[in-house]
Amino acid sequence: MTFQQVSEPYDVLVVGGSGVDTIVRVSALPVPSADRHRVPPIHEEAGHTGTGVALGCAALGLTTGFVDFLGDDPPGALVRERLAGSGVDFRPLASPHGTRRAVNLISPDGRRTSFHDAREPLDLRMPPEHYLPLLRRTRHVHLSITHFARHLFDDIEALGLPVSTDLHDWDGLTEHHREFAFRSELVFLSTAGAGERIGSIMREIVHEGRAEAVIATAGAGGAYLLTPEDRTPRLVPAAVPPRPVVDNNGAGDAFTCGFLYGRLTGQDLEECARLGAVAGAHACTAEGAHTALARPDDLRAAQTPPPPLAPVAAVEAQVSRTGA
């Protein structure tokens, strides 16, 4: 299957993070100990964070490129089929290690536990001749935290391009994430892995790195925004989903897309975060990852004045108490 390659500059170039998810719907999380559980039909779909950010940015009208390694295998075909016709200029390199896989356990309330494989060796590198021509015509780079992507930082910095990344449920300790955290201008992460330390982790990223903003998403609890000018994180209220919540798989990627849309259209950081919350809530209204993609009209329709931000002391207390 071939893709129509675009020649105009990219608003966003996504690097890494394609793959296939196996979706298993379970009665509860954590799954009770048992030899066997009866579940609804199990299915596979193109997923993973890079795919989600690329699809979400393209759906919002941003000219989007996507480079990654992809296996010449049935899972790789699923990814290609999902991206075909989406507006994403996908330029994969063949991977001898196959397409990345994950198994996602989804509870009835939409919560998720995900098991990612680690099939790619640490010495995997993307040739500069593949990505440099694309970097030279992009406005913004979004790096997935796949290992090979860290080796693009020097070239990205030499070109003076801004970078965003998503650390997912980083606990602030795992070494793999640190370079992405400290060398990116926009840093997204979930509160799930940090617990009560999320506020201090956000401050460390701002003080030790180059971040213009750190955004910690907390699901129904909203999100938290921290800039170098802030003493404590600012609360970003959660958006009201336009339909009932079904599945939060892909909501974090959608938040990133809404935020980047705001950033690339000249909005201030608080408005970017609010647009991210709207896109993230929209993503929770359909089963599967990256199936309910927000469009510009969805963001505009939700552009009502947000509730007043909580007092700084109250936000800090909530972050400390809940890890949210």
Side-chain angles (χ1 to χ4, degrees):
M1 181 177 294
T2 59
F3 292 83
Q4 180 180 0
Q5 295 186 344
V6 297
S7 57
E8 65 264 30
Y10 297 136
D11 293 311
V12 180
L13 178 66
V14 180
V15 179
S18 64
V20 165
D21 293 332
T22 298
I23 306 298
V24 184
R25 299 197 172 274
V26 297
S27 59
L29 287 175
V31 178
S33 177
D35 181 65
R36 183 173 62 175
H37 290 277
R38 187 178 180 85
V39 298
I42 296 169
H43 70 277
E44 292 185 320
E45 60 185 19
H48 290 220
T49 185
T51 307
V53 173
L55 287 169
C57 286
L60 287 169
L62 300 174
T63 306
T64 305
F66 186 14
V67 293
D68 198 7
F69 290 95
L70 192 71
D72 183 15
D73 49 24
L78 277 179
V79 175
R80 292 175 182 273
E81 289 168 5
R82 179 66 183 89
L83 290 167
S86 67
V88 176
D89 185 18
F90 187 38
R91 306 209 181 187
L93 288 176
S95 171
H97 310 288
T99 301
R100 301 180 198 94
R101 306 291 301 274
V103 176
N104 294 335
L105 307 183
I106 310 293
S107 67
D109 61 0
R111 292 181 300 119
R112 177 188 65 173
T113 295
S114 186
F115 301 87
H116 284 257
D117 67 18
R119 65 180 60 235
E120 292 174 340
L122 295 181
D123 61 358
L124 182 69
R125 300 287 186 276
M126 181 168 282
E129 58 268 23
H130 186 70
Y131 65 79
L132 275 176
L134 307 180
L135 287 179
R136 293 188 180 111
R137 59 185 182 87
T138 194
R139 296 172 59 195
H140 181 92
V141 183
H142 182 79
L143 292 183
S144 304
I145 56 171
T146 50
H147 185 76
F148 80 84
R150 72 173 69 251
H151 299 285
L152 276 65
F153 267 117
D154 288 344
D155 288 323
I156 292 169
E157 288 181 12
L159 292 169
L161 297 172
V163 177
S164 58
T165 194
D166 189 342
L167 308 178
H168 303 288
D169 59 346
W170 189 40
D171 60 3
L173 303 173
T174 307
E175 191 64 30
H176 172 85
H177 300 67
R178 298 186 73 82
E179 185 172 12
F180 293 96
F182 297 144
R183 296 186 72 177
S184 300
E185 281 77 13
L186 296 175
V187 179
F188 300 89
L189 74 163
S190 162
T191 62
E196 295 183 357
R197 295 181 296 108
I198 187 64
S200 62
I201 291 172
M202 294 174 73
R203 284 188 284 270
E204 181 185 9
I205 293 171
V206 166
H207 295 152
E208 300 298 327
R210 57 191 302 170
E212 299 171 6
V214 180
I215 306 95
T217 57
Y224 297 90
L225 170 67
L226 186 72
T227 72
E229 291 74 38
D230 296 323
R231 293 182 60 191
T232 56
R234 289 178 261 171
L235 173 65
V236 180
V240 177
R243 293 177 295 279
V245 172
V246 176
D247 185 349
N248 69 2
N249 198 18
D253 297 331
F255 187 107
T256 296
C257 296
F259 194 104
L260 293 182
Y261 174 84
R263 187 70 162 171
L264 291 166
T265 55
Q267 308 301 315
D268 63 36
L269 290 172
E270 282 189 2
E271 177 64 6
C272 291
R274 196 184 68 79
L275 294 174
V278 172
H282 192 90
C284 296
T285 61
E287 290 188 1
H290 325 316
T291 52
L293 301 174
R295 310 286 173 171
D297 285 348
D298 298 314
L299 301 188
R300 286 191 287 268
Q303 285 183 1
T304 55
L309 294 180
V312 168
V315 173
E316 187 71 4
Q318 185 173 356
V319 171
S320 298
R321 183 176 63 254
T322 67

